[in-house]
Amino acid sequence: MRKVNLAEAIVSLVLITVAGMFLVVSTSIPHSSLADPLGPTAFPQAVFWMIIVLCMCLTVIPGIWQLVSTRSTRRKPREETARKRPAYRRFMESGDAPALLTAILLVLYLLVWRVLGFALTSLIFIWSLSLILSPKDQRSALKSLLVAVFVTAIIYVAFVHGFRVDLPQFALFG
Amino acid sequence: MSGVGSALSQVFAIASNPSILLYTFIGTGIGLIFGALPGLTATMGTAILVPFTFSMPVAEAFGMLLGVYCGGIAGGAVSATLLNIPGTPSSVVTTLDGYPMARKGQAAKALGWAVTASGVGGFISWLALVLIAPQAARFALRFGPPEYAMLAVMGLTIIASISGKSIAKGIIAGLVGLWLSFVGVDPIVGNFRFTFNQIPLMSGISVMPALIGFFAIPEILSGTRTSYEAVKAQVTSREMFPTLRELWEHAGNLIRSSIIGTFIGIIPATGGNIAAFLAYDQAKRFSKHPEKFGEGIPDGVIASEAANNGVTGGALIPMLTLGIPGDSVTAVLLGALIIHGLQPGPGLFKEHIDVIYSVFTTLLIANIFMVAIMFIGIRGFVKILNVPKHFLTPILIVLCLVGSYAINNSFFDVWVTLVLGLFGYLMTLAKFPMAPIVLGLVLGRLLEGECRRSLILSGGSWSIFVTRPISLVLLIISMAFVFGPYVSRAVQNHNQRRQAA
């Protein structure tokens, strides 16, 4: 049976759960009074069921099988490595840390976008993320700030004046 | 003969008018910028420029707008190839082989092929526009709900081609795309479905924010996981310009994909993305080495770009001859025609033949400018690859989110991009392909709406899909796409066993 990794398991469980919820919601959609043989729920329900069944076959059943068959054999080496270095250090040294930090910063960026406005938020975002992602030997707060100011100004002018997009302003001015 | 002579003299007058050439050039340049930036589309570029053309003569106005159209479609290849972020929905398929080519140091070669294919696609669709416009438009009118439904089915059958190593994951991804297409107004009754009383969800999930979410955010986040490796792109003339021998080798793919693009363009309410998916699938089927598709070969880039630019001339056919827009850009162009006091339809060819000549000529000029500007620009475009990743990553994120916001001036779209992007990142970690999601999202509403409409027409009888000739042909082609490879493999195995015996 095929091996299932953690990301596959998470994606499948999310899809099964949300598809299940949508399936329940779809039962409350009123059927049309028109002579519509399929109605508004046939297509969505068919798709939700297919997602659930495929995810079960692709991930959940092989995953359970994998858990049952390899439970005892894979624990020891992990525990040994865990004792050698703290978990946070292992995480920071892994490739996942910059991706997670970028994702967190991305959420924060959008949360304050409407409050501080596009220009100020983008400037801070570009500056801070470029500092976080830059290798230690190339890290320069001033250089990052200059790039942030320059890029934010160009994007702002291009979108607001060139493409006539009404970007969010600083809330105190708006 | 005098008619032909008069037509040619008008065409030459338009082609040699510096003012028309200048506006067409400006339009093409602006279109390329719109195409290359994620979130900005040819439709948006055309819509923004329409008010500027109010006071212009018709030839100048349409030169500029058609320039934006051609440039906007072709420009998407730049970000798709260099950054794996499709600038427009039409260039999703270009990422499949363009980006792997760029990662192998062949960015200039990939862009060179993209430009060449765009030029050939644009030229073949222009030929179709000039030569067979009225006949093609009459054929497109024979497409009713069953034909559209079968066209959507045919589109969905190519999921297997673009799924990479796991077809099951490709099917799940395609189903996720269909799922997203169900959110919003029911296509038949008009009731709201899966909107959870959220007003922004009532208009459904827009393709562009979803596209940016599923392609850009996962790519950017994945990029932060790996240490920076600058890819030295070879930017020599030899790399950029295909040789005559290479052109001959790829001639079949170039012509076939351009014809597919033109044909899809003629059918109203379709677009470059469907054309590119179908052409890519066909290029893979006709190829002697289909296993190399997705690993970075020119055939994939050629199929996508020839098809999506082939749509441009094709989509103008029903717009000019019947007044029915072939895609969203031609819908804006239709409005522009009306603003200039012209009524599209058969009458336009009789009463305003000068306008028709203007459109024909400026479309060809726009395609020539598009090829020239892109070839000149390749050396500059590939320098993007030399920008340090710690600067490029935040800049791309801001550009993508602003692009997502700009489509409808909606902050909700930005959140859609982020949520789908983070989920898309998880999906890429789990090795789910992203292209089938876009395919499902684009075709979902078409499939459900037209299928239900067909069944209403037939009183619930599914035979409507096999009793109409075009629908039946499309169904047979779809079934051949799905079962053909299995049948041919079974026949091969049978022959081998017979020979062994």
Side-chain angles (χ1 to χ4, degrees):
Chain A
M1 215 171 242
R2 63 182 293 276
K3 278 192 167 184
V4 178
N5 64 35
L6 183 65
E8 278 180 337
I10 294 173
V11 168
S12 294
L13 287 175
V14 170
L15 285 177
I16 290 170
T17 311
V18 185
M21 281 163 51
F22 270 62
L23 202 54
V24 173
V25 171
S26 70
T27 55
S28 61
I29 297 171
H31 201 281
S32 61
S33 54
L34 290 169
D36 179 7
L38 288 180
T41 55
F43 267 89
Q45 285 178 349
V47 166
F48 300 148
W49 275 118
M50 280 194 273
I51 287 175
I52 292 169
V53 171
L54 278 172
C55 286
M56 293 289 270
C57 295
L58 186 78
T59 318
V60 178
I61 296 169
I64 292 170
W65 178 258
Q66 194 176 315
L67 268 179
V68 171
S69 59
T70 60
R71 233 170 90 189
S72 55
T73 51
R74 293 194 70 183
R75 277 221 163 148
K76 277 190 176 173
R78 276 194 175 184
E79 281 168 6
E80 278 166 18
T81 40
R83 254 182 246 132
K84 278 181 189 168
R85 282 179 298 146
Y88 84 92
R89 181 157 291 179
R90 273 186 292 128
F91 173 73
M92 291 308 284
E93 286 167 5
S94 74
D96 297 324
L100 186 69
L101 284 173
T102 306
I104 291 169
L105 216 55
L106 196 51
V107 175
L108 288 174
Y109 171 55
L110 288 195
L111 285 174
V112 288
W113 203 12
R114 276 178 135 172
V115 184
L116 294 182
F118 167 77
L120 188 58
T121 320
S122 301
L123 194 150
I124 296 167
F125 175 75
I126 295 173
W127 180 63
S128 50
L129 190 57
S130 66
L131 275 179
I132 289 170
L133 295 179
S134 57
K136 277 180 187 166
D137 56 331
Q138 293 175 35
R139 197 167 288 163
S140 161
L142 183 66
K143 200 173 172 185
S144 292
L145 184 65
L146 287 175
V147 169
V149 171
F150 180 69
V151 170
T152 307
I154 288 197
I155 295 176
Y156 186 84
V157 170
F159 275 81
V160 173
H161 299 291
F163 309 141
R164 299 174 176 187
V165 176
D166 188 19
L167 288 173
Q169 303 289 323
F170 186 44
L172 289 179
F173 302 149
Chain B
M1 190 66 194
S2 64
V4 175
S6 152
L8 281 175
S9 69
Q10 283 196 55
V11 167
F12 281 121
I14 295 164
S16 57
N17 184 326
S19 168
I20 294 173
L21 292 176
L22 179 69
Y23 280 114
T24 311
F25 182 80
I26 292 170
T28 312
I30 292 172
L32 283 168
I33 295 169
F34 269 80
L37 289 174
L40 301 185
T41 60
T43 314
M44 195 193 290
T46 322
I48 287 173
L49 283 189
V50 163
F52 291 103
T53 64
F54 286 167
S55 55
M56 288 181 193
V58 176
E60 274 88 340
F62 274 84
M64 194 171 196
L65 296 175
L66 291 171
V68 178
Y69 188 15
C70 291
I73 300 290
V78 177
S79 52
T81 303
L82 300 177
L83 305 166
N84 203 20
I85 299 170
T88 61
S90 305
S91 52
V92 168
V93 185
T94 310
T95 61
L96 298 178
D97 279 281
Y99 185 64
M101 282 182 79
R103 297 301 302 162
K104 289 194 275 188
Q106 300 172 351
K109 190 176 183 180
L111 284 174
W113 273 116
V115 178
T116 308
S118 297
V120 172
F123 180 70
I124 288 181
S125 73
W126 173 82
L127 269 183
L129 175 66
V130 173
L131 298 176
I132 56 159
Q135 297 88 333
R138 271 199 296 275
F139 174 75
L141 272 187
R142 290 167 64 184
F143 268 63
E147 287 76 20
Y148 276 111
M150 287 303 112
L151 188 69
V153 169
M154 197 171 95
L156 287 173
T157 59
I158 69 168
I159 283 178
S161 281
I162 54 171
S163 292
K165 286 174 185 162
S166 171
I167 292 178
K169 285 182 180 174
I171 293 171
I172 292 175
L175 290 169
V176 170
L178 287 174
W179 174 358
L180 294 174
S181 76
F182 297 140
V183 176
V185 181
D186 178 278
I188 301 295
V189 192
N191 288 344
F192 294 116
R193 294 185 303 184
F194 312 114
T195 54
F196 306 101
N197 295 325
Q198 297 296 309
I199 293 169
L201 276 179
M202 287 173 181
S203 54
I205 291 176
S206 305
V207 173
M208 207 57 213
L211 185 75
I212 295 172
F214 280 121
F215 276 87
I217 303 294
E219 182 57 36
I220 291 166
L221 292 179
S222 299
T224 62
R225 285 169 60 87
T226 51
S227 58
Y228 186 70
E229 292 171 43
V231 180
K232 277 273 172 219
Q234 291 186 322
V235 197
T236 58
S237 301
R238 169 71 195 86
E239 281 289 314
M240 288 193 303
F241 298 103
T243 60
L244 280 176
R245 192 181 164 177
E246 285 174 325
L247 280 172
W248 177 251
E249 280 170 7
H250 296 286
N253 187 8
L254 276 166
I255 295 169
R256 182 182 52 246
S257 303
S258 305
I259 292 172
I260 290 173
T262 307
F263 175 73
I264 295 294
I266 293 168
I267 301 167
T270 53
N273 39 19
I274 298 174
F277 276 114
L278 284 172
Y280 185 85
D281 183 55
Q282 288 312 300
K284 197 172 173 181
R285 282 175 204 280
F286 278 91
S287 173
K288 288 173 188 161
H289 37 76
E291 72 287 348
K292 289 185 181 169
F293 275 72
E295 291 175 7
I297 55 167
D299 300 74
V301 178
I302 291 167
S304 168
E305 288 303 312
N308 66 29
N309 259 70
V311 165
T312 51
L316 286 171
I317 291 174
M319 187 204 91
L320 290 173
T321 53
L322 306 167
I324 301 168
D327 64 3
S328 52
V329 185
T330 43
V332 180
L333 290 173
L334 185 74
L337 266 180
I338 294 166
I339 286 167
H340 279 90
L342 302 160
Q343 190 55 51
L348 192 66
F349 281 77
K350 286 179 188 161
E351 292 152 24
H352 296 284
I353 192 70
D354 54 321
V355 174
I356 297 296
Y357 289 145
S358 300
V359 171
F360 287 177
T361 315
T362 51
L363 182 66
L364 182 64
I365 295 169
N367 272 301
I368 294 167
F369 280 148
M370 178 267 292
V371 170
I373 296 172
M374 282 193 75
F375 266 127
I376 293 165
I378 286 177
R379 282 174 199 280
F381 297 149
V382 294
K383 287 196 173 129
I384 293 172
L385 296 175
N386 298 331
V387 177
K389 197 186 250 179
H390 56 273
F391 289 133
L392 193 59
T393 301
I395 294 169
L396 283 178
I397 290 176
V398 173
L399 269 177
C400 288
L401 296 181
V402 175
S404 193
Y405 175 85
I407 297 159
N408 300 315
N409 271 3
S410 160
F411 204 68
F412 182 79
D413 282 347
V414 186
W415 280 107
V416 167
T417 298
L418 182 68
V419 172
L420 296 182
L422 293 179
F423 188 64
Y425 176 59
L426 266 180
M427 289 182 85
T428 51
L429 290 180
K431 303 214 163 34
F432 280 88
M434 292 291 110
I437 301 180
V438 179
L439 190 67
L441 180 58
V442 169
L443 293 177
R445 288 186 77 78
L446 187 71
L447 175 68
E448 189 196 1
E450 301 302 341
C451 194
R452 284 169 61 189
R453 242 168 243 131
S454 305
L455 291 174
I456 291 172
L457 282 175
S458 68
S461 167
W462 291 82
S463 64
I464 191 167
F465 296 109
V466 291
T467 50
R468 292 168 62 123
I470 298 173
S471 168
L472 179 63
V473 168
L474 291 171
L475 181 64
I476 291 169
I477 293 172
S478 309
M479 289 177 72
F481 284 176
V482 175
F483 299 112
Y486 299 103
V487 172
S488 70
R489 209 175 301 155
V491 170
Q492 267 180 355
N493 288 344
H494 179 71
N495 288 344
Q496 279 173 354
R497 256 181 275 144
R498 269 181 61 184
Q499 279 174 352

